[in-house]
Amino acid sequence: MTELLATTPGLFPLPDWAKSELADLKGHQKGDLIGGDESGQIADAYDRARSDAVDDQRDAGLDRIVEGQLRWDDMLAHPLAVHDSVDTGGIVRYYDNNNFYRDPRVVEALTPSGDVAGELDAATELLDGDAPLQAVLPGPYSLADLATDEHYGDEAEFLAAVAEFLADEVAAFPDHETLFLLDPSLVAAPPDDDIAPDVPEAIDTVAAATDADVVVHTYFGALSEKTYAHLLDADVSAVGLDLVADDREQTVYNASEYGCPEDVALGVADGQNTLVESGETLRERASWFREQVPATDFETVYLSTNTEPFYLPVNKYREKLGALAAAADLDQEVTA
């Protein structure tokens, strides 16, 4: 019997009170973004916002609880943007939307930082063993794609170095049930033939650093056929697929043609649209996908927003959490 788990890819919107308080504490300029050396007052504000994020998920009834990544001013580029071996350059667009991040320019060898582990330690204290923790990191390909290499000088070597850096970060994490690696660049800027065979090896490097179930979550559309085939070479528990994007028929084709792992993460709720889908609608989307791929008897299906929900107002993000939990808890599966 397939287990349905309600979860998210993290990167939540800041509560309104935190936006106002942090604007006063941090300012509004590029140089005021998080750098890993924030003051005690700023750290305290993020601690309280983290507590809100954990409470939101517990109140909604999610099956996996994320830390929320509220400090990640640079979205997925955060782990590099706060690193001592990285200089932040100009502001660049975050994929094809109206969000921006500081270009992380890697100028020295990457070493373990423990920044994300510190966030997860704080979340673990809030959970106190009552709910399973889900860690979130950028996938190695996306993090390398979002950064500028000014040290390694070779694309494959840089990807391998980013993967080793992420693996070292994971090794410092507290106990976690799952690890979501967010890899939208596999869709938005797919690897060319020279680097594509190195991507699954980079993912394996990160996945080998944890005993948790590892999910490589892709979004902003469907993977190309070739990229999907390469992704299946990675030794992970599940791949994450965007079922909201218009090209989901390509996603279904990939899964039907090349197969799927026994676990899958389905982006069934729109992380960029304020329309809140009902639990029944989200369940229908998941059922539709499973009916299109009848050859795979999934053991676990993670039900998630397709993208990070930080695009949403806080009230809509909370409603979407509730809808995901409701979709996973429906007693009778709805057919499309």
Side-chain angles (χ1 to χ4, degrees), residues 269-287:
D270 194 333
Q272 296 180 287
N273 192 310
T274 56
L275 175 66
V276 179
E277 307 94 331
S278 68
E280 289 80 5
T281 295
L282 302 183
R283 188 67 168 261
E284 286 174 2
R285 291 174 180 172
S287 298

Side-chain angles (χ1 to χ4, degrees), residues 68-122:
Q69 294 76 47
L70 299 168
R71 286 177 63 243
W72 292 23
D73 285 337
D74 297 282
M75 285 78 78
L76 292 184
H78 168 87
L80 288 184
V82 299
H83 196 284
D84 289 341
S85 297
V86 177
D87 293 339
T88 52
I91 298 294
V92 291
R93 186 179 293 274
Y94 181 71
Y95 299 106
D96 187 20
N97 59 52
N98 289 325
N99 290 284
F100 297 85
Y101 68 99
R102 295 169 295 178
D103 176 22
R105 297 186 293 113
V106 178
V107 296
E108 296 180 19
L110 292 171
T111 54
S113 76
D115 182 87
V116 178
E119 295 174 338
L120 293 174
D121 285 337

Side-chain angles (χ1 to χ4, degrees), residues 4 11 26 29 41-42 47 65 84 91 119 125 167 173 182 236 242 265 267 281 294 304 311 317-318 321 329 331:
L4 298 176
L11 278 92
K26 293 166 56 182
Q29 303 302 313
Q41 283 182 299
I42 293 174
D47 286 344
I65 307 295
D84 289 341
I91 298 294
E119 295 174 338
E125 291 180 8
F173 285 180
L182 309 186
V236 296
D242 185 346
T281 295
S304 173
Y311 308 92
Y317 126 85
R318 286 174 176 154
L321 298 186
D329 288 342
D331 291 329

Side-chain angles (χ1 to χ4, degrees), residues 7 23 36 45 49 51 90 112 142 160 175 184 200 210 241 257 278 280 283 299 321:
T7 189
S51 180
S142 290
D175 289 342
T210 179
L241 304 170
E257 185 70 16
S278 68
E280 289 80 5
R283 188 67 168 261
E299 290 188 2
L321 298 186

Side-chain angles (χ1 to χ4, degrees), residues 14 27 179 246 262:
L14 271 170
L179 169 64
D246 290 339
E262 291 184 344

